[in-house]
Amino acid sequence: MKLLIALTLVSFAVGAFSQCTCPTSKWAVCDGTPCQCTLLVGDNQKQAVDCTKLIPKCFLMKTQMQRARTGTIGSKPVETALVDDDWMYDPDCEVNGKFKARQCNGTEECWCVNSAGVRRTDKGDKNLKCDVLVETYWLRMQMTHKELAKEVDEAQLKTGIENAILARYKLAKTFVKEVQYDKDARMIIVDVKKDKDDTKEDLTRVGWYMEKDIKELPQFNNQEKFEPMVGGQKMEMDSILVYYVDAKAPTFTMKHLTGGVIAVIVVVILAVVAGLLVLFFLRRREQARYSKAQPREMDNM
């Protein structure tokens, strides 16, 4: 009898341990009763996370940078995987997982970011002031899907994409404002928005998770891909671009633009000026012809 009780307790303990995982992060380490999960965000530095929700992007970026430093992140999964070097840095995070308004990446060079951690000002030194974290209130996710075996109904596609996003990323339906579809380009555009003054709901997590799902590998513990069911067939995504729109416009200036960008701007301006000059001289020539024609017509009267 005692042996049976002992086996039962062991089985229960094993079952409890196997359930101690983090569904929303493959990088989290979980243990204890009750189950507690942490991310390694620095050398011997652990960050507690709530695995019932999407993990804040700032914590995930820190973990990714830590894994890259220690060589545990692995190689690029596919040739088409993209890395935006401008925003991949080791961020400073608030206790709640939000980005600090000023980021320096451990250097003397600093810049201001939005709530998605994306740079929105010119770079400066450590005297740069970033008073308040500017909220990103609108995400536009532009995706293309691979060719399907058969055509799908547009209304079914929009519903299927919306339902997949709501379920996978634990997003409330009110935030998905519009789903557009261009059949010829195989392009899907999803607009996710909140009120400009809403600082509680963090929509930027959805953008991070979706980019990883499509460009690289899922962030979830379950490595199933984001492949919505539409019209009885799986829709595999091919690419994604995520645009972040802030409650306040960014404040970039000309002085930090690269030479190539400045050259393009100058060429465009010169082309516009040249076009205006051509129109001006054509107009003057037409006026001259008109003024010469007038006396001849009067002489014939």
Side-chain angles (χ1 to χ4, degrees), residues 72-84:
T72 57
I73 195 168
S75 59
K76 187 167 67 172
V78 291
E79 286 302 315
T80 55
L82 302 175
V83 176
D84 186 346

Side-chain angles (χ1 to χ4, degrees), residues 211-278:
E211 276 198 293
K212 293 297 182 182
D213 271 345
I214 296 171
K215 283 185 178 179
E216 300 178 20
L217 295 171
Q219 292 283 286
F220 297 99
N221 202 346
N222 185 336
Q223 289 290 287
E224 289 183 4
K225 294 182 179 180
F226 176 70
E227 295 178 335
M229 289 294 297
V230 178
Q233 55 186 328
K234 283 186 178 180
M235 178 172 284
E236 186 178 355
M237 297 301 163
D238 194 35
S239 65
I240 182 171
L241 284 174
V242 180
Y243 299 94
Y244 299 95
V245 183
D246 295 345
K248 294 181 181 178
T251 57
F252 294 107
T253 62
M254 288 283 288
K255 65 179 182 179
H256 287 282
L257 293 177
T258 63
V261 174
I262 293 174
V264 170
I265 293 173
V266 171
V267 169
V268 171
I269 292 173
L270 290 176
V272 171
V273 172
L276 291 174
L277 287 173
V278 169

Side-chain angles (χ1 to χ4, degrees), residues 15 52 66 75 78 101 112 137 162 188 207 240 252 266 280 294:
T52 63
Q66 172 64 15
S75 59
V78 291
C112 302
Y137 78 99
E162 181 178 348
I188 304 161
I240 182 171
F252 294 107
V266 171
F280 173 76
Q294 263 191 330

Side-chain angles (χ1 to χ4, degrees), residues 33-48:
T33 306
C35 182
Q36 294 181 329
C37 300
T38 59
L39 288 172
L40 189 63
V41 295
D43 294 335
N44 299 317
Q45 183 182 355
K46 296 181 179 180
Q47 173 64 54

Side-chain angles (χ1 to χ4, degrees), residues 47 56 58-59 93-99 133 199 202 205:
Q47 173 64 54
C58 193
F59 291 159
C93 308
E94 302 286 2
V95 176
N96 60 3
K98 288 192 173 186
F99 289 90
L133 184 69
T199 59
D202 183 9
R205 306 183 194 193

